[in-house]
Structure formats: structure tokens, C-alpha cells
Amino acid sequence: MRSVLPIALLVVACAHPVIERAREPALTYAIAIDETLAHMRVSVCPSAARLPAALVPIHRAALAHLASVELVLPDGGVRALPVGERIDLTEAPPRACVRYDVDFTACDEPHGPPSCARAGRDLFAPTSTWLLAPETRVIAAHYAMRLELPAGVHVTPFGARESSPGVLELDDRAFAFVSYVAFTHDEAHALAVPGGGCVDLVTLEGALAASDADRTEWLTRAASASARVTGTVPSERLTTIVVPTIDVPSMPVVFGVAGRGMQPTITLFVSANATAEPLVHDWTAVHELAHLLIADLDEDQWLSEGIATYYEEVLRAREGLLSEADAWSAIASGFERGRAGCQTGVTLREASRTMHSSHAYACVYWSGAAIALLADTAYRRAGSSLDEAIVRAWPRRAEHTSATELVRWLDGETDGVLAHIAATALDATTFPDTTAALAADEAAVAMRHAIMNGPSPTPSNPSSCTR
Ligand SMILES: [Zn+2]
């Protein structure tokens, strides 16, 4: 399935912001993984006297891998705890730690994120499969993570600074979002990309027709395309994880997903036989990077998928990966598929809410893209553009929010252009009317030409990879 799972995986946290940042890490995670990358042992110890009242998986996917949980008492004694959705620690004595074992043997059968996957000797293991978080979190708290990796094994760059040698300092983002993590025998290559940022590119083991140079070219062009909204890439530093997978003819990228956390990522499951040319022209990497242009949403996928789907075509045209005519043709045929998929008599609001059970992906993604086009043309008639709306919402792109709030950030006001277009489309049971935007008259043609020609990326800067 060439779907792009709209994974928005915020953990419901009871946040009690404090003014001053704590000096000590709230918890220290010591993480050891065995040589076969099949078993992980995690020890969680508090800096203060007591553990939190409970630990909870940051995603239910972890429940399939959590093998055992134990309380480690200050005298060295060990007490088994029930494995479940909530590890109750209210009975833990002062200075006790928690130790849990994670089993990755089931990752040999790939299911795609937020599950894990094995590729050769390497392991793709999102934090959804192994990370337990305090049930109640203080947003300003920070956490220490010490990783013990087998010789020759590297972990995907986390984006965390080392608070002391070998100890990473994590903040609440590590728990608020699923991070896509890979344990690999090859190190990441840092690429200074157009748009002024740095991309850490890591490739798991496995048969792959695309060479190092091919992957570099592909992801450099995709990053450059993503910079053709604001001039810069969505994050100064981000990670791309390439997972070789079975060959699916005509699908260079079988699956893609954008992730957030300490360092944004895109993960791309690549067809074994995909070569440079189809990869460079494929939409998936540009789509996933476009997700990172705006804040994360866990519902209302019409908005995040709509903007990513619209820009996957627009940005490839701006980057020269598609002709303008081909980009408009792709958009028009996407609208046709969306229109066909929306014939269920439910509103877009409802289709978006039930998308994962009804599989109304074409309806939701392309209705959202149609809303993005309608908003872009309406903004432009008023002297602005969707690009400028992205710039308005840019400072908050690493946050998690609701669609209502994100629309307000994009519009720069309450009840603005996008809010009005979305309100009409969400309550309709028919596909948004894009006739005027796609018309043959001179003004519409000029508008469409302007859409496909956006800002150039700022030049690459090698120093962005040394920070
Ligand atoms: Zn998407």
C-alpha cells in the first residue's frame, strides 16, 4: 500500500509547567541493546528519591514488545511487576528503579511505522515500540539517556546534546512525539542541503539498487524542494532514514512517514530495485518533508494531509522535478480520485474523523489539497499566498495543536480566509468546487503559473552540519 500513515502520536500528558528548568534530570534511562538487536533492556532511575506514580508506553505499539517489567529495590532485590498499559509504581520504595525488557524478534515481519522493522542486521525501532514515559510529566523537566550499543552499531541522530560524555539530554519532546529511530551498522552521513540546513542520512542494510550517491542526490533535491516555501528547510537539522524493502514495481518508495521529537525525521521504505531517476522524481520524500512545514495534528488529517499533498506537487514543480503542466495534471487527477472517494454521503469532517476505519484516504487527502488550492488562490487575490500563511505559522511548526488553532496561525487572524473555506468544505458531503481555480481564463492561468514558481532555497552551508 502506497499510503502515508498520518501518524500523529501525541501522548496525553498532564502538564504542569514550571517557571524554572530543573537542574537534575527527572529520570535517567540506561538503554542496552544486544548484539543481534533483538533484545533491549531499559533501566529507569529517578534523580529524586522516588519514581513517578506510573510509567506508560508512549504508544500502544510498545505493548506488543514489552516482555517483562521489574522493580529494582535499593537493596538489589527485584520484584516483578505486571506488564500492561500502566506500570503502577505507587508502591515503589524510595530510591527504587524500574527495569524493563523489550523484545524486537517480532520486527522480522515488517508492518511499517509505528511498528518496527528489521533490514539485514539493522533495526528500525521507533520509540513507539520501546519507550515508557512518566504518566504525569512536567513540561520543563529534562531526562538523561545513556545508550550502550554493541561494537559497530550506531543509533540515528537524536538531536539531543550530550550533557556529559555518553549521556544524552532529552526534553519533553522525546515523550510527546514518537521518534523514528534506527540501530544501524553504517553511520549517518551529514548532508548540507539547499535551504541552509543539514540532513543526517542513514540507510539500513539490505538490497538496494540506489547507491549512496543516488540517495544523496534524491534527498538533497527533496530537501531543496521543501525549502521552496520559505527559502529554508523545515528544520535546521533533520534525519532521513532509508529502509530497504521488497521491490514493488512502479513504486520507488513503498511507504513514508514524517516524525517529530528531539530531531524531526522522515522515514522512507524504498523498493529494492528503485533507481536514482524514479526516486528523485517520486513524491513521497517531498510530501513527508512538507508535513514538517506546519505543526503536528493528531486529528483533522484533512489539514495536514491536504497541505502536504498539495505541496508534494507544487514543490516538485518549483524544484524542476515535474513540469508545471504535469504538476497540474497530477493535481487534477488527484481531485478526480478524491471526488470518487467522497461519494459516501458523509461530510468531510466525518470522513476525516473516521479515515483509518473507512480507508477514505483519497477523499480526505485530496479534499484537503483542494482546500489548500482554494486558500492559496484566495490569499493571492488578497495579495498574500499559502506560502506566506506557512511563514505566519512557521515559528510554531514544531508544536502539536488542533486544526482550528493551526488555521488561525496560518490565517494570522480569527475567521480568516482559510477558516471560511474550511468551514464550508468540512460540512459539505461533496468534493470542494475547484472549477474556478482550474479554469482556462487568463487570470486563472496566471495564478496557476505563479503558484508553481515560489522562492528559491537559500544556498547550502557546510557549517550547518558542524553545529
Ligand atoms: Zn502525509
Side-chain angles (χ1 to χ4, degrees):
M1 186 170 77
R2 196 185 186 186
S3 70
V4 180
L5 274 191
I7 294 178
L9 300 155
L10 189 83
V11 178
V12 176
C14 202
H16 304 285
V18 293
I19 294 163
E20 281 191 26
R21 186 175 173 284
R23 276 194 219 121
E24 291 293 312
L27 295 170
T28 296
Y29 286 72
I31 296 168
I33 189 159
D34 77 329
E35 237 172 67
T36 63
L37 306 183
H39 301 280
M40 177 188 275
R41 170 160 282 194
V42 183
S43 297
V44 186
C45 292
S47 293
R50 284 187 182 276
L51 285 161
L55 288 180
V56 292
I58 69 161
H59 189 279
R60 63 188 173 281
L63 295 171
H65 301 282
L66 201 52
S68 64
V69 186
E70 297 168 323
L71 202 56
V72 181
L73 304 170
D75 64 4
V78 172
R79 191 191 304 162
L81 295 174
V83 174
E85 290 184 23
R86 182 177 186 275
I87 312 297
D88 190 323
L89 303 172
T90 47
E91 302 293 314
R95 293 183 303 285
C97 297
V98 171
R99 189 163 70 197
Y100 64 90
D101 286 322
V102 183
D103 182 352
F104 290 123
T105 51
C107 307
D108 295 351
E109 297 295 323
H111 302 292
S115 189
C116 49
R118 189 170 296 283
R121 293 176 298 162
D122 294 343
L123 177 70
F124 172 70
T127 52
S128 46
T129 60
W130 57 266
L131 187 60
L132 304 185
E135 183 180 46
T136 300
R137 305 198 310 270
V138 175
I139 297 300
H142 62 105
Y143 306 86
M145 180 180 279
R146 201 172 56 244
L147 280 157
E148 291 172 39
L149 301 174
V153 171
H154 309 274
V155 68
T156 318
F158 258 77
R161 74 177 186 92
E162 275 194 332
S163 54
S164 56
V167 180
L168 298 175
E169 184 179 299
L170 306 182
D171 60 37
D172 195 68
R173 292 172 294 173
F175 299 123
F177 299 99
V178 168
S179 302
Y180 293 97
V181 177
F183 298 93
T184 59
H185 289 76
D186 255 3
E187 276 191 272
H189 304 282
L191 312 174
V193 293
C198 182
V199 170
D200 293 302
L201 166 59
V202 65
T203 305
L204 278 70
E205 287 188 347
L208 209 51
S211 67
D212 278 355
D214 295 341
R215 297 193 300 275
T216 296
E217 161 75 3
W218 164 38
L219 294 164
T220 300
R221 293 299 298 275
S224 179
S226 78
R228 289 178 181 273
V229 179
T230 68
T232 61
V233 288
S235 174
E236 277 184 19
R237 190 126 199 180
L238 52 93
T239 302
T240 54
I241 302 174
V242 170
V243 185
T245 191
I246 52 163
D247 187 56
V248 181
S250 81
M251 288 174 61
V253 181
V254 178
F255 184 89
V257 65
R260 306 180 186 241
M262 298 292 295
Q263 180 162 314
T265 56
I266 61 166
T267 299
L268 301 150
F269 283 62
V270 175
S271 266
N273 293 340
T275 52
E277 179 77 7
L279 280 174
V280 167
H281 294 277
D282 182 74
W283 60 269
T284 318
V286 179
H287 175 104
E288 298 310 334
L289 288 164
H291 274 300
L292 301 173
L293 295 169
I294 51 171
D296 183 52
L297 305 171
D298 66 351
E299 289 183 347
D300 296 313
Q301 294 302 308
W302 64 269
L303 181 56
S304 53
E305 292 302 347
I307 286 178
T309 301
Y310 178 63
Y311 272 127
E312 92 200 8
E313 309 300 342
V314 170
L315 297 183
R316 283 189 300 157
R318 290 181 183 175
E319 179 66 18
L321 302 173
L322 272 185
S323 68
E324 280 186 44
D326 285 347
W328 286 114
S329 167
I331 287 172
S333 64
F335 288 171
E336 282 311 308
R337 290 198 302 283
R339 197 170 282 115
C342 287
Q343 307 282 339
T344 54
V346 302
T347 62
L348 175 59
R349 192 187 304 280
E350 182 65 7
S352 189
R353 196 181 64 77
T354 58
M355 180 175 76
H356 295 304
S357 54
S358 67
H359 300 115
Y361 295 108
C363 173
V364 173
Y365 280 44
W366 285 103
S367 292
I371 293 169
L373 169 62
L374 295 176
D376 203 356
T377 54
Y379 282 135
R380 283 169 191 268
R381 281 195 299 273
S384 181
S385 65
L386 186 59
D387 298 341
E388 288 187 11
I390 299 289
V391 171
R392 285 192 284 272
W394 190 252
R396 309 192 74 165
R397 68 195 182 284
E399 296 182 25
H400 180 88
T401 191
S402 66
T404 305
E405 194 67 22
L406 178 53
V407 165
R408 194 164 28 239
W409 297 346
L410 290 163
D411 276 335
E413 59 182 327
T414 304
D415 294 330
V417 166
L418 177 56
H420 279 281
I421 291 168
T424 304
L426 285 168
D427 289 327
T429 55
T430 51
F431 195 80
D433 183 0
T434 55
T435 314
L438 299 179
D441 63 89
E442 201 175 312
V445 170
M447 176 84 78
R448 292 202 295 278
H449 178 67
I451 286 171
M452 292 298 174
N453 291 277
S456 297
T458 57
S460 63
N461 177 3
S463 72
S464 59
C465 286
T466 54
R467 283 198 293 271

